[in-house]
């Protein structure tokens, strides 16, 4: 690439950046001016009375979670369920197993034991024979398997 071409591209990019900065500052100034105009027209004068604010009703306390702690799904099992869903989706779309094993949910897991567990789960569900289970049965199967074989990290 010649020197003149490089400097030409650099010059075009520099001009484009200046035009972008100018247009952005102009639109910001217009928005600021519109806000100032709205504030000055809404400001109460001495002739108008300010209505008292209504009293706020107390906020109701949030209802307790209906599921006891023993019946909640552990977060590491939810992660396994997400991996299983991605594995089934990859199988439907015809992606390779190697590509599936390189997804963020599997490849970036820090403890080696956890990464190996997710790879095993993804591989077994990717190579599933027959039809896929319905979503409710899938969730139950994955979470049961997770609780049984995979301790919390």
């Amino acid at each position: 690439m010649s020197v003149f071409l490089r400097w030409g591209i650099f010059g075009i990019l520099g001009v484009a950046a200046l035009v972008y900065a100018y247009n952005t500052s102009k639109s910001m100034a217009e928005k600021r001016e519109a806000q100032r105009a709205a504030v000055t027209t809404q400001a109460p004068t001495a002739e108008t009375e300010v209505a008292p604010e209504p009293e706020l009703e107390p906020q109701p306390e949030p209802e307790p979670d209906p599921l006891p702690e023993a019946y909640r799904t552990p977060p590491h099992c939810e992660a396994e369920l997400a991996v299983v869903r991605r594995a089934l989706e990859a199988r439907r779309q015809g992606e390779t197993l190697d590509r599936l094993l390189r997804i963020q949910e599997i490849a970036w897991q820090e403890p080696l034991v956890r990464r190996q567990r997710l790879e095993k789960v993804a591989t077994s569900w990717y190579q599933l024979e027959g039809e896929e289970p319905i979503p409710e049965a899938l969730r139950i199967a994955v979470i049961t398997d997770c609780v049984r074989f995979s301790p919390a990290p």
Side-chain angles (χ1 to χ4, degrees):
M1 191 182 268
S2 74
V3 174
F4 296 114
L5 183 59
R6 276 189 236 154
W7 279 103
I9 292 172
F10 178 72
I12 289 171
L13 290 176
V15 169
L18 288 173
V19 169
Y20 177 76
Y22 173 75
N23 288 336
T24 304
S25 66
K26 187 169 64 171
S27 66
M28 287 174 48
E30 290 172 357
K31 287 179 185 177
R32 191 177 310 123
E33 191 63 35
Q35 287 176 348
R36 285 184 190 155
V39 168
T40 57
T41 58
Q42 293 178 355
T45 60
E47 299 170 356
T48 60
E49 293 183 21
V50 178
E53 294 184 18
E55 294 182 22
L56 298 175
E57 296 180 12
Q59 295 291 331
E61 293 183 21
E63 295 182 18
D65 195 13
L67 290 175
E69 187 68 34
Y71 294 111
R72 290 193 191 125
T73 305
H76 70 282
C77 291
E78 286 291 336
E80 282 191 25
L81 182 61
V83 166
V84 168
R85 288 180 179 150
R86 293 279 303 262
L88 293 175
E89 183 66 28
R91 187 179 103 178
R92 271 185 247 126
Q93 293 179 354
E95 292 180 10
T96 62
L97 180 61
D98 181 56
R99 185 173 185 162
L100 171 67
L101 296 177
R102 286 185 278 138
I103 64 173
Q104 178 180 357
E105 289 88 354
I106 298 173
W108 291 4
Q109 292 298 316
E110 188 54 38
L112 179 63
V113 175
R114 179 73 180 142
R115 184 170 49 241
Q116 289 172 343
R117 168 70 185 164
L118 291 175
E119 287 174 355
K120 179 183 173 191
V121 168
T123 303
S124 65
W125 283 95
Y126 182 84
Q127 297 171 344
L128 178 71
E129 297 290 327
E131 292 186 24
E132 296 177 9
I134 60 174
E136 294 83 19
L138 175 72
R139 181 178 179 83
I140 291 170
V142 170
I143 291 175
T144 303
D145 186 52
C146 172
V147 169
R148 187 177 303 147
F149 297 109
S150 174

